[in-house]
């Protein structure tokens, strides 16, 4: 089975722009979670989607949003980019909706905001 | 929310040495995973271990849920073991939300 894929792998944007990141889960997985990794804050949970519904959300401003499509693929969007949004964005998928299920991570999208 | 503390923050070893990484968590969990982050940023699953003991080659892990800690053992370390090791947990109905520790940076010298 192919793993979790994320596109693009690298992005450079300027302050004020917006960006959309894409995540394709492992085939058959229906839950997708997003995380932000920065040197200062570590790995932080952004949100989780299951069956096109956001079930859980982390403590991030409304500029961060996401959605999930009927094929379980997910996108996240960051509007009005700030320098502090520079980070590695990781997506993870799991097969079942429970919190106890194993999460598998993609390679990440490295976003640089200038 | 659940707090996760990992120790030590940094670990430097010679090839062939053994090591133990620790993860303490503040509340009961129904998910605990150990990951190795490679230099390119990918998180590689090592263990799903909310309780009990598991072994995979030179790596093994033990979680004592009642005492709220987990240990990752690396035996006969190799330079390819270098990287950052993360413990992540989830509890209650925290759908899709893993809370990560700050990681242990492991450097193995030849």
């Amino acid at each position: 089975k192919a793993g979790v894929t994320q596109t693009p792998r690298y992005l450079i944007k300027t302050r004020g722009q917006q960006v959309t990141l894409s995540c394709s889960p492992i085939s058959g997985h229906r839950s997708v979670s997003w995380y932000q990794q920065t040197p200062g804050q570590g790995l932080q949970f952004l949100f989780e989607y299951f069956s096109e519904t956001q079930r859980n959300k982390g403590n991030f401003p409304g500029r961060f949003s996401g959605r999930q499509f009927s094929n379980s693929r997910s996108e996240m969007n960051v509007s009005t980019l700030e320098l502090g949004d520079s980070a590695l964005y990781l997506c993870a998928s799991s097969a079942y909706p429970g919190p106890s299920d194993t999460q598998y991570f993609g390679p990440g999208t490295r976003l640089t905001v200038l | 929310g659940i707090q996760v503390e990992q120790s030590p923050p940094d670990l430097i070893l010679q090839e062939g040495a053994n090591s133990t990484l620790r993860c303490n968590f503040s509340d009961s969990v129904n998910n605990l995973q150990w990951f190795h982050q490679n230099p390119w940023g990918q998180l590689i699953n090592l263990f799903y271990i909310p309780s009990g003991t598991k072994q995979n080659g030179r790596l093994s892990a033990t979680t004592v849920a009642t005492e709220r800690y987990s240990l990752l053992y690396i035996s006969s370390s190799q330079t390819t073991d270098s990287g950052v090791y993360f413990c992540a947990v989830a509890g209650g109905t925290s759908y899709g939300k893993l809370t990560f520790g700050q990681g242990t940076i492991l450097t193995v010298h030849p």
Side-chain angles (χ1 to χ4, degrees), chain A residues 33 35 37 100-101 103 105, chain B residues 33 37 42 45 48 96 98:
Chain A
S33 298
Y35 296 84
Q37 185 176 24
S100 60
D101 198 33
Q103 290 194 22
F105 283 77
Chain B
Q33 294 183 235
Q37 188 166 41
Q42 172 108 43
N45 289 63
Y48 168 81
L98 287 173

Side-chain angles (χ1 to χ4, degrees), chain B residues 82-106:
Chain B
S82 296
V84 186
Y85 289 80
F86 288 102
C87 164
V89 305
T93 56
S94 298
Y95 296 111
K97 177 183 177 180
L98 287 173
T99 299
F100 282 78
Q102 288 299 105
T104 292
I105 302 172
L106 175 64

Side-chain angles (χ1 to χ4, degrees), chain B residues 11-13 15 36-40 58 74 77-85 104-110:
Chain B
L11 190 56
I12 300 174
L13 301 172
E15 209 167 24
H36 175 210
Q37 188 166 41
N38 66 22
W40 298 272
R58 296 181 296 104
I74 304 174
S77 56
Q78 301 174 358
T79 55
T80 51
D81 295 331
S82 296
V84 186
Y85 289 80
T104 292
I105 302 172
L106 175 64
T107 304
V108 181
H109 291 301

Side-chain angles (χ1 to χ4, degrees), chain A residues 35-46 60 88-90 105, chain B residues 35 37 41 43 84 86-88 98-102:
Chain A
Y35 296 84
Q36 180 197 63
Q37 185 176 24
T38 59
Q41 299 298 317
L43 277 147
Q44 294 186 289
F45 171 78
L46 281 156
F60 279 82
L88 178 66
Y89 290 89
L90 292 161
F105 283 77
Chain B
F35 297 93
Q37 188 166 41
L43 285 170
V84 186
F86 288 102
C87 164
L98 287 173
T99 299
F100 282 78
Q102 288 299 105

